[in-house]
Amino acid sequence: MSYQAHFKVWRGDAEGGGLRDFTVEVNEGEVVLDIIHRLQATQAPDLAVRWNCKAGKCGSCSAEINGRPRLLCMTRMSVFEESETITVTPMRAFPVMRDLVTDVSFNYAKAREIPAFVPPAELGPGEYRMAQQDVERSQEFRKCIECFLCQDTCHVVRDFEENKAAFAGPRFLMRVAELDMHPLDAADEAGIDRKRTAQEEHGLGYCNITKCCTEVCPEGIRITDNALIPLKERAVDRKYDPLVWLGNKIRRRGQ
Amino acid sequence: MTQVERQAWDVVVVGAGGAGLRAAIAAREQGMRTAVICKSLFGKAHTVMAEGGIAASMGNVNEGDNWQVHFRDTMRGGKFLNHWRMAELHAREAPDRVWELETWGALFDRTADGRISQRNFGGHEYPRLAHVGDRTGLELIRTLQQKIVSLQQEDEREFGDHEARLKVFQECTVTRVLKEAGPAGGDGARVAGVFGYERESGRFFVIEAPSVVLATGGIGKSFKVTSNSWEYTGDGHALALLAGAPLINMEFVQFHPTGMVWPPSVKGILVTESVRGDGGVLRNSEGKRFMFDYIPEVFKDKYALTEEEGDRWYEDPDNNRRPPELLPRDEVARAINAEVKAGRGSPHGGVFLDVSTRMPAETIKRRLPSMHHQFKELADVDITAEPMEVGPTCHYVMGGVEVDPDTAAATGVPGLFAAGEVAGGMHGSNRLGGNSLSDLLVFGRRAGLYAARHAADVGADRPVVAAADAAAAEAEALRPFSAEEASAGPAGGPVENPYTLHQELQQAMNDLVGIIRRHEEMAEALHRLAGLRARARRAGVEGHRQFNPGWHLALDLRNMLLVSECVARAALERTESRGGHTRDDHPAMDRAWRTVNLQCRLATEEAQAAEPVGGAANGPVGVGDTGLAGGAASGAEPVAEPGLGGLVSDQSGQIALARKATPPIRPDLLQLFERDELVKYLTDEELSR
Ligand SMILES: Cc1cc2nc3c(=O)[nH]c(=O)nc-3n(C[C@H](O)[C@H](O)[C@H](O)COP(=O)(O)OP(=O)(O)OC[C@H]3O[C@@H](n4cnc5c(N)ncnc54)[C@H](O)[C@@H]3O)c2cc1C
Ligand code: SF4
Ligand code: SF4
Ligand code: FES
């Protein structure tokens, strides 16, 4: 049942580091995070790793396993051959702090750049009425656990550090889409044009719909198909047709 | 102390879960400069894991619901040990707190007429839990997080600085609440700030503030099988004790009936109660729905006695009684425990929880998406096709910092507040599902509000951190790096590995102060805790202070040991079974104990040296019964007057116990119950008042 596995784990900090070899016990049903914890408890007490829920709900334990962005707690050891060497490295798109822990402050900075939900002035607390089918689109995006694996994988920032300033990344473009599809968001009334800002301020144009983000999302959110492409379409409409904007506004009022 | 960074804020909130974030919003909305400190990244606090929902009597699904009914259910669930005023405020204010979330962008699941949908849950008379699939906690935390961001955006517009009035210090751990240099021993001295370290760099910091809100969550990491994460080391409980504030109700620990039992590495991870609320049933190895055999006397007229009636209830709740799978958690956990003990368990030592034969696969995937995902990914089980295996897991602590119900102020330490799981009293001896998330919002808001008012009242007369305290806090935090010294010292012994100590602690608590308790075992637990405490002084770590989990654990051990001792000591003292406290040797609930809260304080040196007080029956731990003279079991009123409780600390401990009378329930609230029901809980004296 249990066996000895070979691991290579990146150790180091901002100054530099490298892969370290470990041989470590693996038992039935374990996930990669269990093995990292076993290393901490037995061989490397100061090995740094983030985690919280151990059930794929908090998005803390993001790293790259054999080069692929994944949650450590949701990657079962049984998907690997017993003879395979398993390489665990920190997310590549963000600066390393120590070992498997990266500085993800980029994401928190981007989150602040997106104007918040604007409550409709005419409705008080308890008066909101929305149909299930109308909230479902935004609800899909609100499943996001902010693991930032999509941000890590998107080539726009993964390969081009300099794009970071102009590009919010799939997670936060999706946030714009979520607010834009919220049935009661009153951004228009507040003079906020979410579609235009997606294009002009958050770098929607950089996305060339490769769907890499969707592929790594542990929540199975269809980021590209359901958020980014519709947002692009809406942004294009908006750009060329000012009447669409007026029409949307009138329709919302009439709801 | 040259290397310690110092900053001054008006209100410091320790914790960024539902309670902490709601407190921070309230304090900031009062215009106070508010700092939030949390151990994980912003948005990752434990609240994110909550699944089932948030209880609020909005009456969207059944119009019969209102705050009085919610209050009643909460008191019943807590077996009337709840602080009635907290239960009242909670039931009254929960709907407003939920509706407010919608104005901040939350998207709950909807009813057909477009309102917030509400689901059934154990112990709640009507469908009451607002929810988003089974990821309600995520919605709650994200909404609060986004509200905080929106307040920061306001500040950016006004001051050009997002963090002008509200800042989150993430990945920082607070290790001490600091007070002003006070008169003798610091009694009554005001809060002056907090001391902590950045997890990333290991750098120390002091934040000075006249108000500190503790919102640190629970204690589950002291137990081996738990649904809780590494954050739950009882820090806030310990910080309060060390600052001189008492805890109450620490013997009440909720074991959730349904945790995963297989594979071993996920043992304890929660299986949400919504599985049962939506129709899932519990079966033993003989295929029997055994819960029908475990309906306790006090609930006999409220639960279905046949499977047919229970099944009809889902469609027609007005004319049928609910199935016993939805009894309060303590009842279900005990029943599962008993079935497994009787040899009718599942292959891996649990029982079966089945939805596959109760709902179409598509419905299961829609209503319980994350359970479907969790079992598929972690256990290779498809819950639409086969039953789950589940067993009890340590989930929630009812006990916590004793607070004033209206203001959330801790007892005896001006400027200290507590809200959320770290606060005690609201849930009595057992919490109903869904009542935590609402608790976080109701009392988080109150704590933030009154912390802000306190800070405003203090004004320019801000307390000053006693320099010696900050220096002592630093020395304490550095100790694990010089374990060799402790090891060579007078109380010497080998340097200890913090991971090993933690495992031994978890094992001891799980085995000896777990779901079913016995006098001898708890006495043994106290003995082991004393040994672990001595060894923990020699807990040593390698490496440096930068993101060093071994060091972090070594520091957390202090908190877990303190809190574990509170649990064990209070559990040993309470010679009855009630809610989350079940004694094999005192299996019945005793009305006389309803009027008693057990209060834990840090034992002062004098108290530690003193002989235990309380009369002949209060023999040393391990001999006889530590109950009061006469003993609660005989039906005698255990406490003559409030505050007259005896100290029952034993010399090897750090915690002194006292008995405090529970405040009498307001008459109009008592009138919400039938007398027939009240006689089951209240003493004759209370009934005749
Ligand atoms: C799996 C699971 C499912 C649940 N489902 C439900 C449900 O459906 N409904 C319900 O009502 N309840 C549910 N609960 C219970 C509920 O989630 C918790 O009781 C609640 O979230 C606690 O919130 P809190 O704000 O008190 O603390 P938390 O959300 O745990 O936040 C604690 C915060 O304090 C910080 N902290 C702790 N110690 C320190 C320190 N020393 N220094 C600095 N920061 C510190 C942490 O980093 C964290 O930010 C569930 C619990 C679990 C485990
Ligand atoms: S679809 Fe767009 S956002 Fe997603 S990975 Fe590709 S380029 Fe990046
Ligand atoms: S969208 Fe998916 S991959 Fe991206 S942060 Fe959210 S959960 Fe992670
Ligand atoms: S630890 Fe929470 S997602 Fe992995």
Side-chain angles (χ1 to χ4, degrees), chain A residues 13 28-31 34 40-41 45-55 57-60 73-74 76 97-98 101 104 108 111-117 119 124-126 128-132 135 138-140 142-148 171 175 178 182-183 218-219, chain B residues 40-42 44 48-49 51 99-100 102-110 113-115 132 135 138-139 142-143 145-146 149-150 152-153 162-163 170-171 200 229-231 262-265 269 370-371 373-374 376-380 497 499 542-544 546-550:
Chain A
D13 55 25
E28 192 185 345
E30 288 183 331
V31 294
D34 292 316
Q40 276 183 341
D46 59 348
L47 172 63
V49 60
R50 280 197 185 103
W51 67 285
N52 274 28
C53 67
K54 217 172 163 289
K57 293 184 194 329
C58 72
S60 302
C73 75
M74 294 303 279
R76 301 186 61 183
M97 280 160 51
R98 218 163 86 74
V101 174
V104 290
Y108 289 92
R112 280 181 181 169
E113 289 170 11
I114 293 161
F117 171 69
Y128 287 33
R129 299 288 177 276
M130 297 176 265
Q132 181 61 37
V135 298
S138 296
Q139 277 186 332
E140 180 189 7
R142 290 182 73 83
K143 286 196 318 199
C144 170
I145 57 174
E146 299 209 325
C147 64
F148 308 131
R171 195 277 170 259
R175 167 78 172 141
E178 172 214 316
H182 188 300
E219 283 294 299
Chain B
S40 299
L41 292 172
F42 186 27
K44 310 282 180 212
V48 89
M49 293 163 67
E51 296 164 352
W99 283 322
E100 172 179 79
E102 280 200 308
T103 69
W104 298 342
L107 284 174
F108 290 101
D109 289 350
R110 319 305 297 180
D113 65 351
R115 294 163 203 259
V132 186
R135 55 160 191 89
L138 174 64
E139 187 68 14
R142 202 65 82 227
T143 301
Q145 182 182 355
Q146 287 164 351
V149 166
S150 86
Q152 292 178 324
Q153 289 170 344
H162 280 109
E163 294 173 340
Q170 52 184 7
E171 302 198 303
E200 170 194 340
S229 82
W230 65 267
E231 293 203 305
W262 184 260
S265 70
I269 290 185
S370 60
M371 281 304 109
H373 185 70
Q374 181 173 314
K376 189 127 208 139
E377 293 292 321
L378 295 176
D380 261 337
N497 177 342
Y499 293 96
E542 290 168 28
H544 35 72
Q546 231 194 345
F547 223 115
N548 185 338

Side-chain angles (χ1 to χ4, degrees), chain A residues 154-156 167 170 207-213 224 228:
Chain A
C154 175
H155 63 99
V156 176
F167 184 64
C207 164
N208 50 358
I209 53 176
T210 58
K211 302 197 187 185
C212 310
C213 51
T224 324
L228 305 181

Side-chain angles (χ1 to χ4, degrees), chain A:
Chain A
M1 287 243 182
S2 60
Y3 68 98
Q4 299 290 318
H6 296 287
F7 266 71
K8 284 185 187 294
V9 180
W10 196 91
R11 299 216 58 188
D13 55 25
E15 327 277 65
L19 290 171
R20 295 288 133 78
D21 287 291
F22 295 98
T23 302
V24 52
E25 182 183 312
V26 174
N27 303 310
E28 192 185 345
E30 288 183 331
V31 294
V32 174
L33 184 61
D34 292 316
I35 312 309
I36 299 292
H37 282 159
R38 184 161 300 126
L39 288 176
Q40 276 183 341
T42 56
Q43 305 182 34
D46 59 348
L47 172 63
V49 60
R50 280 197 185 103
W51 67 285
N52 274 28
C53 67
K54 217 172 163 289
K57 293 184 194 329
C58 72
S60 302
C61 63
S62 309
E64 300 190 5
I65 302 173
N66 294 343
R68 198 180 146 72
R70 306 194 64 139
L71 295 178
L72 297 173
C73 75
M74 294 303 279
T75 306
R76 301 186 61 183
M77 287 301 296
S78 58
V79 304
F80 305 106
E81 298 293 323
E82 290 192 6
S83 57
E84 206 172 329
T85 298
I86 298 160
T87 306
V88 187
T89 48
M91 283 192 285
R92 197 176 91 187
F94 308 118
V96 165
M97 280 160 51
R98 218 163 86 74
D99 303 338
L100 300 176
V101 174
T102 54
D103 177 356
V104 290
S105 55
F106 163 75
N107 299 288
Y108 289 92
K110 291 295 174 189
R112 280 181 181 169
E113 289 170 11
I114 293 161
F117 171 69
V118 182
E122 67 279 12
L123 295 179
E127 293 172 0
Y128 287 33
R129 299 288 177 276
M130 297 176 265
Q132 181 61 37
Q133 74 215 51
D134 292 339
V135 298
E136 250 155 33
R137 286 188 303 177
S138 296
Q139 277 186 332
E140 180 189 7
F141 309 145
R142 290 182 73 83
K143 286 196 318 199
C144 170
I145 57 174
E146 299 209 325
C147 64
F148 308 131
L149 288 174
C150 58
Q151 305 281 89
D152 176 49
T153 211
C154 175
H155 63 99
V156 176
V157 288
R158 191 176 175 94
D159 301 330
F160 306 95
E161 178 73 25
E162 64 279 12
N163 285 342
K164 276 189 173 172
F167 184 64
R171 195 277 170 259
F172 295 102
L173 288 167
M174 179 177 88
R175 167 78 172 141
V176 179
E178 172 214 316
L179 288 163
D180 197 46
M181 295 180 194
H182 188 300
L184 292 176
D185 178 49
D188 287 351
E189 284 81 342
I192 300 166
D193 182 344
R194 297 198 186 277
K195 301 165 188 67
R196 192 182 52 73
T197 54
Q199 195 70 25
E200 292 174 9
E201 287 170 32
H202 307 303
L204 182 60
Y206 285 84
C207 164
N208 50 358
I209 53 176
T210 58
K211 302 197 187 185
C212 310
C213 51
T214 305
E215 273 165 32
V216 299
C217 177
E219 283 294 299
I221 303 172
R222 299 182 62 197
I223 310 169
T224 324
D225 287 350
N226 292 354
L228 305 181
I229 294 177
L231 194 61
K232 274 176 180 275
E233 287 167 354
R234 288 164 162 234
V236 169
D237 285 351
R238 174 60 46 88
K239 258 188 168 160
Y240 298 112
D241 187 359
L243 280 181
V244 172
W245 180 77
L246 198 61
N248 279 346
K249 199 168 156 121
I250 291 166
R251 240 182 297 132
R252 216 188 68 76
R253 277 280 163 71
Q255 264 172 10

Side-chain angles (χ1 to χ4, degrees), chain B residues 12 48 129 139 207 219 283 431 442 446 462 473 490 496 501 587 670:
Chain B
V12 170
V48 89
L129 270 67
E139 187 68 14
I207 296 188
I219 66 160
R283 293 207 178 92
R431 172 180 73 88
V442 167
R446 285 182 165 270
R462 288 171 68 105
E496 298 279 351
L501 293 172
L670 276 183

Side-chain angles (χ1 to χ4, degrees), chain B residues 21 23 35-36 82 87 90 106 108 162 190 225 247 385 404 409 415 420 457 542 552 556 590 593 597 616 652:
Chain B
L21 296 183
V36 180
N82 322 54
H90 167 259
F108 290 101
H162 280 109
R190 298 177 302 168
V225 179
L247 311 183
D404 173 69
D457 289 345
E542 290 168 28
H552 302 164
D556 295 342
D590 184 340
W593 271 106
N597 277 333
S652 60

Side-chain angles (χ1 to χ4, degrees), chain B residues 16-57:
Chain B
L21 296 183
R22 188 63 191 82
I25 291 166
R28 156 67 180 74
E29 285 186 330
Q30 294 294 302
M32 288 295 131
R33 291 183 64 249
T34 304
V36 180
I37 309 177
C38 54
K39 297 204 278 192
S40 299
L41 292 172
F42 186 27
K44 310 282 180 212
H46 215 280
T47 299
V48 89
M49 293 163 67
E51 296 164 352
I54 172 166
S57 61

